[in-house]
Amino acid sequence: MSFNLPNPGLFGILLVISTHSGPLLVYNYPQDLSEDTQSAESSDDDDLSYEDKSVDQEEIYEAGYSYGNEDQYKHNEWDSRHLNYYMGTKKDLLPYLEDQENNRRIPKGNQKPTKAKEKSKSSNNGTILGMEPAYLCEMLAPPKSMCNSRFEITIDDRIFLGLPIHKMDDGSWRPLKKKGRPSKDVSESTPKVKENLIMFHLVFILNPPIMERNYRIDEMFHYVISRLSLVLRFEQHKTSYISNQLRLMIALREESDSNSGGSDVSNFHSIFTEKSSLCKLISVCYTAISKSKIANLSINGTLRSFQIPIKTEFHSLPETSVPYLPGSYLSSTTNLLLNTGLINVGQTSRYGHAGSLLENDETSSSLDDIMHLALLLLYEPDKIIRDIVIDPESKFANFIYLINPTVSILKLASDHKMDLKEVKSFLSHLIYWRRARVMQPINTRSVYTVSPMAPILQKAFEDIAKFSEIFPTLPSLTHFLKQLSPQFIKPQQFASIIPSRDHRSSYLDALGWLIRNGYVIQLQTFIWLKISPKVKLRVEEDLENEATLTKKRSQGSKIVTVGGTDNTSKVQSKDAITGGEELVQRDDTIEALQKRLTAIGPSILFGEEEESIILDPGRATTLERKWINRIIFEECKLTHELTTTFYKLLKYMNGKSSLEMLLLKENISRNELRRLLFEIEDHIITVRHW
Ligand SMILES: *[C@@H]1O[C@H](CO)[C@@H](O)[C@H](O)[C@H]1NC(C)=O
Ligand SMILES: *[C@@H]1O[C@H](CO)[C@@H](O)[C@H](O)[C@H]1NC(C)=O
Ligand SMILES: *[C@@H]1O[C@H](CO)[C@@H](O)[C@H](O)[C@H]1NC(C)=O
Ligand SMILES: *[C@@H]1O[C@H](CO)[C@@H](O)[C@H](O)[C@H]1NC(C)=O
Ligand SMILES: CC(=O)N[C@H]1CO[C@H](CO)[C@@H](O)[C@@H]1O
């Protein structure tokens, strides 16, 4: 099992409608949904078929699965119903497929596969998974109260998932502002269906592996079903698109009946698919989504894309036993894309139900941060422009030609006086269409190293040849990687491996290639402020002096009684464990504090004489601010300029925002930062990772 690999498990799509005369299955794709026949047939092919996983075979096998530690599973019993069933190597695949096919031949429950299959082959009067369409329709046409929200039923291990859309009481299709009578209530001459249509429901039939069930259906609902259903609702509301399509289908059927005398029933399906744009889009949607491709659907003349994005960006290292796609990229920068919906971060728990669909505001603010990054094209510009079919003279194409991984998008836009909104739209499309990835601009002064996810086992052999073909004058791929991960010293700035100025640009190109293909990642620097016992002691002394002074004048100060140095630092260390919980309130009693601290256990507490780490200076307590000031003004005696820089740096001292991001976002030079870090060296903890 791996959520890192695409596995849509889409078995078919149904269009169910309700009219005043009851529910009706109008169209289904593929035509034969009587049993799981498609996959059984394909497993006769060579060992690379594997189509029942519904992933895009060509693409993934071309790349080769990344299986992590192969040996771990070598001796496992091979059971296609078991959760480990595709954590195998290629050579395990054949027995697996055979096994699966055998399982499939055993009829399950009340289904009668053979009969159903014969029937459906002869006409579209067949069953859906052994069930009569009329019976199934009753279930898939829920009452109004259950419409306009997620719909899900499971029948014989198949999940029927959709977002049924019901007509509003006022006759319109969208719950909008009062004025929203249907904008064009088309002529009364239209046959019954139009007025009759009260509900339509695009039902996706899924058969995900049991262990992935919730994940896969959430993913499908979030990325495809909900979005597509709402677009259709919009079209129905605006132009009666669904009603018009239904009328068209009735007309087609009548025409066909009168031509063939009603004998040629089986033809409806192909006629519908060909002539009705609604049926066509259902078939195109099925074909693309079931292969993990991007479905480009023409909905009443407008082209829209739907897909379950493939997971190729990781912000943390997946477990070694969990497969992922080779060439995947590892960077904490990926976090910046979390809310954009452009990539798959593999957390379906983040997807609300139908609610979170229009996340545009969130998306566009997340894109602001991304503008500081650069785009790395995953293919040659010409190929991209050809493949996504845009005019080579267009602004979009022009933008693609300008993309340079060494330059931030913001700079690119300002250098060429481009409209930021337009640029955001271009870059979103390139990321969504799997043509580009964002990353920090490639820089000779940044540090790069071999990715722990590098596809060494899967692809290195062919890539070594490719690399030397593309960069004939450079060292080999293996030599490059060795230099980037030196054995006895820590990784150096990229500049250190560039032999001369003349080599600079070819080395940067090669670096881009290595990053694009998942071999190399950027190392980033994360820092925290640490408070030494000495600083704490000095601040405590100051406080005591202050307190004495204050006491002389009035009554005791609350700060001294409650915010005792060591106790605050212990509370702080609690924060380290729970990961970002609010600091304990100042007015907590010492008893309460102690209770919480004992609950955590003594081993992780910093002793009285030990250092504290300030985890989030953005939310520093009064005492912590005193420590910080002590460091700035007394311990390091920073100059005025460096103090200013220090305050800019402060909010990055949380172990989450890297210094490399700081250089990109704040107006601080590398030199200035270096000087500051040198001065405060004794008071920081540095961690380097992706
Ligand atoms: C359709 O199915 C019904 C019952 O399942 C059967 O009576 C009828 O003959 C079938 N029609 C065709 C055209 O196969
Ligand atoms: C498509 O949209 C236009 C308006 O944008 C509308 O006039 C037309 O009827 C629609 N087509 C269908 C098939 O609904
Ligand atoms: C849909 O369009 C995108 C962008 O042009 C393209 O990458 C993708 O391959 C297309 N999908 C299919 C199934 O052709
Ligand atoms: C950036 O800093 C330099 C000096 O450090 C200053 O001259 C310049 O005006 C600053 N730019 C911005 C946009 O703040
Ligand atoms: C100053 C102060 O209140 N210090 C307290 C910190 O917590 C320890 C127990 O962990 C107490 O013994 C101290 O009195």
Side-chain angles (χ1 to χ4, degrees):
M1 177 176 84
S2 173
F3 296 153
N4 300 329
L5 301 178
N7 186 7
L10 178 57
F11 177 71
I13 304 179
L14 312 175
L15 175 62
V16 174
I17 61 159
S18 272
T19 64
H20 290 302
S21 36
L24 191 66
L25 172 68
V26 180
Y27 181 76
N28 58 273
Y29 198 91
Q31 179 170 13
D32 181 5
L33 289 173
S34 57
E35 244 307 303
D36 194 353
T37 47
Q38 303 125 317
S39 40
E41 280 154 16
S42 70
S43 54
D44 295 330
D45 300 341
D46 64 11
D47 63 335
L48 295 191
S49 64
Y50 202 43
E51 242 164 60
D52 36 359
K53 297 312 312 147
S54 300
V55 289
D56 184 356
Q57 286 321 310
E58 280 161 54
E59 274 175 24
I60 286 167
Y61 262 104
E62 213 177 294
Y65 271 111
S66 172
Y67 281 109
N69 185 351
E70 298 192 358
D71 289 339
Q72 203 173 330
Y73 299 97
K74 207 150 73 183
H75 307 294
N76 274 5
E77 275 294 315
W78 202 247
D79 179 354
S80 68
R81 289 151 303 178
H82 190 267
L83 77 101
N84 279 337
Y85 70 99
Y86 62 93
M87 289 173 121
T89 56
K90 243 184 203 177
K91 68 178 180 307
D92 287 322
L93 211 56
L94 211 55
Y96 158 68
L97 288 173
E98 274 165 15
D99 188 11
Q100 251 223 345
E101 183 163 15
N102 289 339
N103 281 335
R104 210 176 282 120
R105 287 192 176 126
I106 304 163
K108 277 185 280 176
N110 57 359
Q111 298 174 2
K112 300 173 206 104
T114 329
K115 200 173 150 212
K117 187 172 166 182
E118 281 164 7
K119 237 170 146 187
S120 66
K121 280 265 151 89
S122 63
S123 75
N124 64 349
N125 186 23
T127 65
I128 308 281
L129 293 165
M131 288 171 282
E132 288 300 330
Y135 166 73
L136 193 59
C137 272
E138 292 288 342
M139 287 188 284
L140 299 178
K144 186 170 174 229
S145 59
M146 288 173 67
C147 287
N148 301 322
S149 69
R150 176 160 157 164
F151 174 94
E152 178 188 333
I153 55 172
T154 305
I155 306 172
D156 282 343
D157 296 340
R158 301 304 159 94
I159 294 134
F160 293 74
L161 186 66
L163 179 61
I165 306 284
H166 206 282
K167 186 149 97 173
M168 304 275 131
D169 288 338
D170 67 358
S172 72
W173 286 85
R174 285 173 90 206
L176 266 188
K177 303 138 219 163
K178 268 281 177 244
K179 23 179 161 157
R181 292 290 305 179
S183 48
K184 286 172 218 162
D185 227 332
V186 205
S187 64
E188 293 304 311
S189 66
T190 34
K192 275 179 226 147
V193 177
K194 200 247 137 199
E195 289 88 45
N196 268 347
L197 182 68
I198 51 177
M199 194 268 330
F200 66 90
H201 188 189
L202 213 50
V203 186
F204 285 54
I205 309 175
L206 307 177
N207 53 349
I210 289 167
M211 289 306 293
E212 298 180 13
R213 185 184 179 279
N214 290 343
Y215 181 87
R216 296 301 174 190
I217 65 181
D218 283 354
E219 201 176 50
M220 185 68 79
F221 186 81
H222 177 77
Y223 285 111
V224 184
I225 297 176
S226 55
R227 294 169 195 227
L228 179 54
S229 300
L230 292 188
V231 168
L232 291 177
R233 178 174 81 174
F234 175 82
E235 292 296 335
Q236 169 65 11
H237 178 78
K238 234 178 68 180
T239 70
S240 299
Y241 177 65
I242 308 280
S243 308
N244 292 343
Q245 286 292 310
L246 292 172
R247 274 195 297 146
L248 174 67
M249 288 159 80
I250 289 174
L252 288 170
R253 188 162 193 143
E254 277 165 1
E255 190 185 330
S256 166
D257 277 350
S258 59
N259 288 348
S260 65
S263 64
D264 201 5
V265 190
S266 65
N267 262 347
F268 287 151
H269 194 270
S270 48
I271 292 175
F272 284 176
T273 312
E274 198 184 318
K275 300 239 166 101
S276 152
S277 73
L278 178 58
C279 296
K280 173 100 189 151
L281 84 82
I282 291 172
S283 75
V284 171
C285 181
Y286 170 83
T287 309
I289 298 297
S290 62
K291 291 181 176 160
S292 296
K293 289 195 169 168
I294 303 171
N296 304 305
L297 308 183
S298 167
I299 301 172
N300 194 19
T302 313
L303 201 63
R304 293 177 201 255
S305 296
F306 301 85
Q307 66 164 321
I308 297 173
I310 288 181
K311 188 155 167 45
T312 55
E313 309 268 330
F314 292 76
H315 51 83
S316 57
L317 194 60
E319 299 241 358
T320 49
S321 61
V322 179
Y324 51 84
L325 290 174
S328 289
Y329 188 58
L330 179 63
S331 172
S332 55
T333 309
T334 298
N335 282 328
L336 292 179
L337 290 168
L338 283 188
N339 293 327
T340 60
L342 296 174
I343 60 164
N344 190 342
V345 292
Q347 297 171 14
T348 55
S349 54
R350 296 175 57 86
Y351 315 149
H353 286 174
S356 68
L357 291 170
L358 304 165
E359 19 180 61
N360 285 336
D361 285 349
E362 217 183 334
T363 305
S364 101
S365 73
S366 317
L367 286 180
D368 287 342
D369 271 343
I370 290 170
M371 299 297 276
H372 294 285
L373 303 175
L375 279 170
L376 178 70
L377 291 180
L378 301 178
Y379 305 90
E380 290 303 314
D382 287 331
K383 177 171 165 51
I384 294 177
I385 289 163
R386 220 173 30 242
D387 289 353
I388 65 178
V389 197
I390 51 173
D391 180 357
E393 303 292 318
S394 64
K395 274 187 184 172
F396 193 0
N398 186 40
F399 175 74
I400 293 174
Y401 284 122
L402 288 174
I403 287 171
N404 180 342
T406 65
V407 179
S408 80
I409 303 161
L410 209 55
K411 181 156 193 319
L412 200 73
S414 82
D415 285 356
H416 298 275
K417 305 197 169 41
M418 286 149 82
D419 175 39
L420 287 190
K421 229 170 139 187
E422 216 164 51
V423 167
K424 281 181 187 173
S425 149
F426 293 157
L427 82 90
S428 305
H429 279 92
L430 288 171
I431 296 169
Y432 186 77
W433 286 340
R434 311 172 187 174
R435 299 309 201 276
R437 138 188 323 157
V438 289
M439 48 179 255
Q440 293 185 17
I442 296 180
N443 191 309
T444 56
R445 283 175 299 178
S446 298
V447 180
Y448 300 91
T449 191
V450 175
S451 168
M453 296 174 72
I456 309 272
L457 288 173
Q458 299 81 20
K459 292 179 68 200
F461 189 69
E462 53 182 297
D463 280 346
I464 286 169
K466 263 191 214 162
F467 187 85
S468 59
E469 197 179 303
I470 303 172
F471 305 105
T473 61
L474 296 189
S476 69
L477 174 66
T478 39
H479 184 79
F480 237 103
L481 296 185
K482 265 189 214 152
Q483 278 195 302
L484 289 172
S485 272
Q487 225 173 345
F488 302 112
I489 53 167
K490 54 181 190 186
Q492 306 292 307
Q493 285 191 346
F494 188 62
S496 71
I497 72 162
I498 305 179
S500 78
R501 194 171 275 273
D502 296 341
H503 289 82
R504 192 173 174 277
S505 87
S506 59
Y507 268 66
L508 282 174
D509 286 348
L511 180 60
W513 191 95
L514 292 170
I515 293 174
R516 184 180 304 131
N517 288 280
Y519 285 96
V520 166
I521 53 170
Q522 182 179 0
L523 268 191
Q524 303 190 65
T525 315
F526 301 85
I527 62 173
W528 284 277
L529 259 192
K530 75 176 177 207
I531 311 297
S532 65
K534 181 182 160 210
V535 171
K536 289 198 236 170
L537 192 67
R538 291 286 138 76
V539 170
E540 199 173 5
E541 285 168 6
D542 288 352
L543 284 174
E544 272 163 18
N545 292 340
E546 240 173 68
T548 326
L549 282 175
T550 322
K551 213 171 188 176
K552 278 179 190 158
R553 271 178 253 138
S554 63
Q555 288 302 18
S557 139
K558 204 143 200 209
I559 293 186
V560 179
T561 14
V562 179
T565 324
D566 307 320
N567 289 318
T568 315
S569 70
K570 287 173 188 175
V571 172
Q572 188 58 64
S573 71
K574 166 188 181 285
D575 199 13
I577 305 130
T578 53
E581 203 176 291
E582 286 286 341
L583 281 176
V584 177
Q585 294 293 307
R586 305 227 112 231
D587 55 13
D588 268 4
T589 62
I590 297 289
E591 284 78 11
L593 289 178
Q594 271 166 357
K595 223 182 255 167
R596 296 192 205 189
L597 291 170
T598 2
I600 302 160
S603 57
I604 35 71
L605 296 181
F606 294 102
E608 296 224 331
E609 300 301 316
E610 288 174 29
E611 290 158 347
S612 296
I613 297 171
I614 297 186
L615 291 173
D616 187 356
R619 292 185 306 176
T621 60
T622 315
L623 179 65
E624 286 170 341
R625 281 199 293 271
K626 287 185 196 298
W627 291 341
I628 293 171
N629 286 339
R630 170 97 207 163
I631 290 174
I632 297 176
F633 299 109
E634 309 292 334
E635 304 293 325
C636 301
K637 297 197 164 59
L638 296 182
T639 62
H640 178 69
E641 274 162 290
L642 283 186
T643 304
T644 314
T645 312
F646 183 94
Y647 280 116
K648 284 190 193 164
L649 177 63
L650 195 56
K651 64 171 185 261
Y652 289 82
M653 293 184 173
N654 59 5
K656 286 185 192 130
S657 317
S658 67
L659 297 186
E660 286 75 9
M661 273 315 279
L662 164 118
L663 288 173
L664 289 172
K665 287 172 70 175
E666 312 284 339
N667 186 22
I668 298 178
S669 73
R670 242 166 230 275
N671 222 351
E672 214 177 338
L673 179 62
R674 194 175 304 123
R675 268 171 50 222
L676 174 62
L677 291 177
F678 180 75
E679 294 290 336
I680 61 172
E681 191 170 36
D682 292 342
H683 304 275
I684 55 178
I685 290 179
T686 308
V687 173
R688 295 190 134 183
H689 63 75
W690 51 84

